[in-house]
Amino acid sequence: MRHILPPALKAGETIAFYSPSSPATSFAPNRTQRAVNFLEAKGFNVVAGNLSYKNDFYRSGTITQRANELNELIRNPNVRCIMSTIGGANSSSLLPYLDYDAIRQDPKIFVGYSDVTAILLGIYAQTGLVTFYGPALTASLGELPPLVDETFDSFQNITQTLSLPYSYSTPNYWTEEFVDWEQQNSGKTLSANNVQWLGKGVVSGRLIGGNLNTISAIWGSPYMPPIKKGDILLIEDSLKDIATVERLFSLLKINGVFDKVRAVLLGKHELFKDGGTNRQPIDVLQEVLNGQQLPIVNNVDCAHTHPMITMPIGCHFNVDFDRKELSLLEQAVC
C-alpha cells in the first residue's frame, strides 16, 4: 500500500465539516457556531456539509444521505480539510459507499476522533492516506479557552511541515467535567495532568489505532488496517463500564495484537464507570496482559478529554520512556 500524505493546511483555505453519525449540529447549534467562529477567527473559510443542523433521530441522516454528504466534500477541490462534528455509533455504515478513488486523486486532511475512527482507519486501509486522530468541530473546537486553544494549536502544528523529530508537549492540565453544551458559558474545572510512562528505553513504530470500541465494529473487515509487528497502538474510549473495557482489551489479547505491537498509548478514559471496583482502565489492561511485558504510556491526551493532541495515523513515532517524551519521526503532510 502506497503511503500518501495530504497537502499542508494553509491559512485562508477551506475546512469543511460533516456529520457521519450523531447529529451534533442539531442538538448543539450554539456550540457548533462557536466552533465555526473560532476557525474563522483563525483565518479559515468554513463550509458546512449538507446535513448540518438536520437530524434523523439518533443520526444526522440515512446511510445514503450521510455517505453523499461526505462524498460531496471529498469531491470538492476547494475543500482542503474535512473535519467531523462529533462521533456517535454509526460512522462505519458509510464505509462501503465512500469515493476512495477521489480521495486518492485529491488527498485532503481528514480529522476527527471517537466513532470517526472507522472513517479514519477505513480511508487509511483503502488508500494509504495518512489521517488525523484529532479534534472534531462541535465536540472539540466548541470548547472554551484555554482548552480549545491547546487543542487547536496541536492540530495546527501537526498539519504543517515540521522540523523533525517533532516532540509533543504534555498539557499541564486536563478535564473530563461534563457541562451542558448549550448552557456552558465559562471554563471547566482543571486537574493537573497525570500521564504515566510504564516502561524503559526507547521504542519506535507506525502509529495505528483510535477508539477501541469503534475498532471492534470494523475488526476483520477490509476497512481495518492490519496491525503489524512493530506498530505502536493507540487506544482510547469514553463513558464505558469496566466490564466492557475488559472485553475490548481481551479482543486485542486473543487476536495476538499485544504480541505484535511495541508499545501501547492508552488515552484518558472520559468518565470511566468502574462498577464500584476503584480500578482504572490501566488496571484492567494489566490484568488482561497477565504479566506480559509491554511498554505502556497511560493517560495520553489523545482522547475524549480536553485538551486533545492530534496524532497522524500511519506515521512513525518515537516513544522515549526514559525522557517521558513522545515524538513524531516523519512528516504527516507534504
Side-chain angles (χ1 to χ4, degrees):
M1 182 174 62
R2 190 162 66 96
H3 194 63
I4 302 174
L5 301 181
L9 185 62
K10 302 179 181 66
E13 291 187 325
T14 297
I15 297 175
F17 61 89
Y18 72 111
S19 302
S21 185
S22 182
T25 57
S26 175
F27 67 72
N30 293 334
R31 188 179 178 97
T32 299
Q33 188 58 52
R34 186 161 66 215
V36 170
N37 294 344
F38 178 86
L39 284 178
E40 289 178 340
K42 295 292 184 180
F44 294 100
N45 180 41
V46 183
V47 170
N50 60 37
L51 291 179
S52 297
Y53 309 103
K54 300 176 183 178
N55 76 79
D56 180 31
F57 299 96
Y58 64 96
R59 57 189 185 173
S60 60
T62 67
I63 294 172
T64 298
Q65 288 171 335
R66 286 179 283 146
N68 287 344
E69 178 191 43
L70 181 50
N71 280 331
E72 182 178 305
L73 300 176
I74 288 170
R75 296 167 184 151
N76 185 337
N78 296 320
V79 172
R80 303 321 309 159
C81 171
I82 301 178
M83 178 180 287
S84 68
T85 55
I86 198 172
N90 305 108
S91 295
S92 58
S93 302
L94 282 59
L95 292 174
Y97 311 108
L98 299 185
D99 191 342
Y100 298 105
D101 286 337
I103 293 172
R104 294 185 195 97
Q105 293 166 13
D106 183 20
K108 308 174 191 288
I109 291 169
F110 289 85
V111 60
Y113 72 105
S114 192
D115 187 60
V116 181
T117 294
I119 291 174
L120 301 178
L121 292 181
I123 289 173
Y124 177 64
Q126 290 292 308
T127 69
L129 176 68
V130 167
T131 55
F132 297 80
Y133 204 77
L137 182 86
T138 306
S140 306
L141 301 185
E143 187 53 63
L144 293 174
L147 300 170
V148 64
D149 300 303
E150 285 209 44
T151 294
F152 177 78
D153 287 348
S154 179
F155 168 70
Q156 189 172 47
N157 287 343
I158 297 301
T159 54
Q160 308 299 311
T161 302
L162 298 167
S163 176
L164 297 174
Y166 171 81
S167 295
Y168 282 84
S169 299
T170 299
N172 293 323
Y173 43 74
W174 71 286
T175 187
E176 62 177 343
E177 181 183 8
F178 175 77
V179 178
D180 183 272
W181 279 4
E182 291 299 271
Q183 303 299 320
Q184 184 184 4
N185 56 18
S186 61
K188 294 180 177 179
T189 303
L190 304 179
S191 300
N193 216 331
N194 56 344
V195 178
Q196 295 175 292
W197 299 79
L198 306 175
K200 296 180 180 179
V202 180
V203 296
S204 61
R206 178 190 67 154
L207 183 79
I208 197 72
N211 179 260
L212 184 52
N213 185 56
T214 304
I215 287 172
S216 73
I218 62 172
W219 193 261
S221 78
Y223 307 103
M224 177 63 205
I227 296 175
K228 301 176 182 178
K229 193 78 173 178
D231 282 347
I232 293 173
L233 179 66
L234 164 65
I235 48 177
E236 65 89 24
D237 244 308
S238 170
L239 302 173
K240 297 295 180 290
D241 62 82
I242 192 168
T244 300
V245 167
E246 181 182 326
R247 175 175 60 82
L248 291 169
F249 288 157
S250 295
L251 170 73
L252 302 177
K253 175 68 174 179
I254 64 179
N255 279 279
V257 171
F258 295 135
D259 299 323
K260 296 178 182 179
V261 299
R262 288 182 176 155
V264 169
L265 307 182
L266 182 60
K268 288 181 169 69
H269 192 123
E270 179 191 31
L271 299 174
F272 175 63
K273 303 171 185 176
D274 70 7
T277 65
N278 293 318
R279 302 174 72 223
Q280 292 298 309
I282 183 60
D283 303 312
V284 182
L285 177 55
Q286 289 174 327
E287 181 185 1
V288 168
L289 287 170
N290 192 31
Q292 179 179 354
Q293 297 300 304
L294 182 62
I296 302 168
V297 185
N298 181 40
N299 286 328
V300 179
D301 296 279
C302 60
H304 287 68
T305 56
H306 302 276
M308 181 188 191
I309 62 174
T310 296
M311 306 188 73
I313 294 170
C315 287
H316 277 72
F317 277 77
N318 209 59
V319 186
D320 190 328
F321 286 88
D322 298 332
R323 298 180 61 181
K324 299 182 178 180
E325 184 177 73
L326 178 67
S327 53
L328 179 62
L329 298 181
E330 63 176 322
Q331 301 291 344
V333 294
C334 61

